[in-house]
Amino acid sequence: RSNTLSFLLSAAPRISRMQQQHVPYIPKMSATNNEESLQDISTMRLREIQTELRDVWNVSSADCFDKESLTKRLRDARAGLVQGSAPAPSPTGDKTDENETAARESDDSSASNSSTSTSGEKTKKAFNREEMDAELSNMRVSALREMLGARNIRWANMIEKRDLVVALLDAMEASAGFSVSGALTPGEVADLTGEQLASELSGDADTPLLLDVYAVWCGPCQMMAPHLAAAAAELGAKCRVAKIDSDKYGVWASKLRVGGLPTVIAFDGNGNEVNRQEGALMKDGLVKIVSDYL
């Protein structure tokens, strides 16, 4: 009995350690397996980000006031770093994934130079002032000023945030019938984002698009800027004129096969490339690029 008691006493610590080490494995719920079916965040609109946060991840976005904070919140939600980010069952099932995939394919096709057309007729969306008002009101003042600046609208005398929002709404409503994204105004040059360019090349436009792919550090690009503005003023409502920063949106520079800066590309109303020219051009040269497609 003495030997048995000694054995049990000596074995007790080992049993205790084994019990402490034997913790059942509980797999952590993750959205990793679903990420492939989710839309690329960089291509999503503010409302799409808010909808996914609410409907898919059960995460609030009430404290996010610009796209940067919304994007970070969605990335954290997809990574499982935000409370309540467990995937909720989608009421539409696989159909949602199909719609998101179709949306991505649509963006890719509009950014490419192929002439492949999408099935079905496209209809222009009427400008929803109330919806856009709510979206702009949730943005930071700095973002609103940047958008106004891109439209060549002076905001220095606009003290209240509401003044900035109203000025943007008026400009966007005025150009709604001219620009697919609402970012372009007749007679002016707009500095586009990648998302806005995708919209402009979606094939819904009645006018051609003259696009300048540039870089801030590019001397010839800066030299051509006033000539591009003069060309936009001359073309007026007959042609959309825009530019895009190749450093900020390098993916687009690759998709458009830009080999030198500046590169000026003309697209028809269906989003197909019809002409291009590398190197700085004067106003008349810029107008000539699209003159056959007006």
Side-chain angles (χ1 to χ4, degrees), residues 47-67:
R47 188 167 296 278
E48 291 173 334
I49 295 176
Q50 292 169 335
T51 300
E52 182 177 328
L53 283 169
R54 182 185 67 247
D55 297 344
V56 179
W57 306 105
N58 297 325
V59 173
S60 172
S61 60
D63 58 335
C64 299
F65 301 104
D66 57 9
K67 188 168 184 178

Side-chain angles (χ1 to χ4, degrees), residues 116-234:
T116 303
S117 60
T118 57
S119 61
E121 293 185 0
K122 296 181 180 178
T123 57
K124 291 184 180 180
K125 294 182 179 179
F127 181 75
N128 189 326
R129 189 179 180 95
E130 183 178 350
E131 181 179 328
M132 185 55 63
D133 190 350
E135 185 173 324
L136 294 176
S137 297
N138 285 329
M139 299 178 65
R140 291 181 177 178
V141 170
S142 58
L144 295 173
R145 289 173 174 171
E146 184 177 349
M147 292 175 66
L148 287 168
R151 291 171 173 271
N152 297 318
I153 300 175
R154 296 183 179 181
W155 48 262
N157 295 328
M158 301 179 189
I159 301 175
E160 300 294 332
K161 179 180 179 180
R162 186 62 192 169
D163 296 334
L164 300 173
V165 172
V166 171
L168 269 173
L169 284 172
D170 291 343
M172 294 172 75
E173 187 170 14
S175 61
F178 173 73
S179 168
V180 181
S181 68
L184 301 177
T185 303
E188 297 181 1
V189 182
D191 203 339
L192 300 181
T193 66
E195 183 180 6
Q196 290 168 339
L197 179 56
S199 296
E200 294 297 334
L201 296 178
S202 65
D204 289 336
D206 298 326
T207 57
L209 171 69
L210 184 64
L211 179 69
D212 168 27
V213 184
Y214 77 101
V216 176
W217 49 264
C218 169
C221 298
Q222 302 306 318
M223 181 185 70
M224 190 179 74
H227 296 281
L228 186 66
E234 180 175 324

Side-chain angles (χ1 to χ4, degrees), residues 104-114 116 118 122 201 271:
R104 288 196 301 272
E105 290 175 352
S106 176
D107 287 343
D108 290 340
S109 63
S110 66
S112 68
N113 294 317
S114 67
T116 303
T118 57
K122 296 181 180 178
L201 296 178

